[in-house]
Amino acid sequence: MRLGAEWGKYFDEFAASAFRLEVRQTYTMSTEQPNLELFLAGGKKPAEHNAAWRGRIEAIVASGRTIQRAKLVRHPLTDYLRYQLAWGIPGNVAAGEDYRMVDITENDWGLPDQDFWLFDGTTVVHLDYHADGTFAGAELVEYPDLGKYHGWRNVALSHGVPFGEWDAGAGSTG
């Protein structure tokens, strides 16, 4: 079932855990473009960068819930990914998100080519993107094969390296 902007309600409603598999190497979000351009020009990160999302993570963690993400990465890294590694992900981690880097340069570990959120291990929301990385919409997966999504989550987490330990210059994590 296609969801409109209200799909964000799942972040308010989940009881214990939220997990995202993030597969794209580049996301093209209009709200990020000015900061991406600033980063690529060697500028200084604005203090308010990503503040709304960091605040949401802090509230989730303060409520006793967990939020995890596994980011699939390929070498060479895209400009967008370098931007996220420098300006986005460190703030998410500082706010309490468990962020794992999964190097798929040499092995994709059988992971899908589909971004999704898994809420409380039972609710699956696909995030769809156009070829250029712009957001196309969210879709609630009705009657998901939860074994498949749990398996992908477990594989990604088992092959993922916590962000603070990951070496962006290294090759595959093996």
Side-chain angles (χ1 to χ4, degrees), residues 99-113:
Y99 214 114
R100 309 289 178 96
M101 309 304 290
V102 184
D103 192 322
I104 60 167
T105 304
E106 296 175 11
N107 187 341
D108 70 7
W109 312 110
L111 294 166
D113 191 23

Side-chain angles (χ1 to χ4, degrees), residues 32-44 78-84 87:
E32 283 188 327
Q33 290 311 299
N35 283 338
L36 175 59
E37 291 169 11
L38 182 62
F39 168 78
L40 293 174
K44 183 178 176 186
T78 63
D79 286 345
Y80 179 83
L81 189 51
R82 290 186 310 102
Y83 156 71
Q84 283 297 306
W87 285 16

Side-chain angles (χ1 to χ4, degrees), residues 53-54 57 61 88-100 162-164:
W53 180 245
R54 286 192 325 265
I57 292 169
V61 173
I89 299 171
N92 294 359
V93 171
E97 186 172 9
D98 175 3
Y99 214 114
R100 309 289 178 96
F163 177 74

Side-chain angles (χ1 to χ4, degrees), residues 22-41:
E22 192 171 69
V23 305
R24 297 189 61 84
Q25 303 304 291
T26 299
Y27 294 88
T28 307
M29 295 181 277
S30 61
T31 57
E32 283 188 327
Q33 290 311 299
N35 283 338
L36 175 59
E37 291 169 11
L38 182 62
F39 168 78
L40 293 174

Side-chain angles (χ1 to χ4, degrees), residues 24 129-134:
R24 297 189 61 84
Y129 295 88
H130 297 288
D132 68 354
T134 55

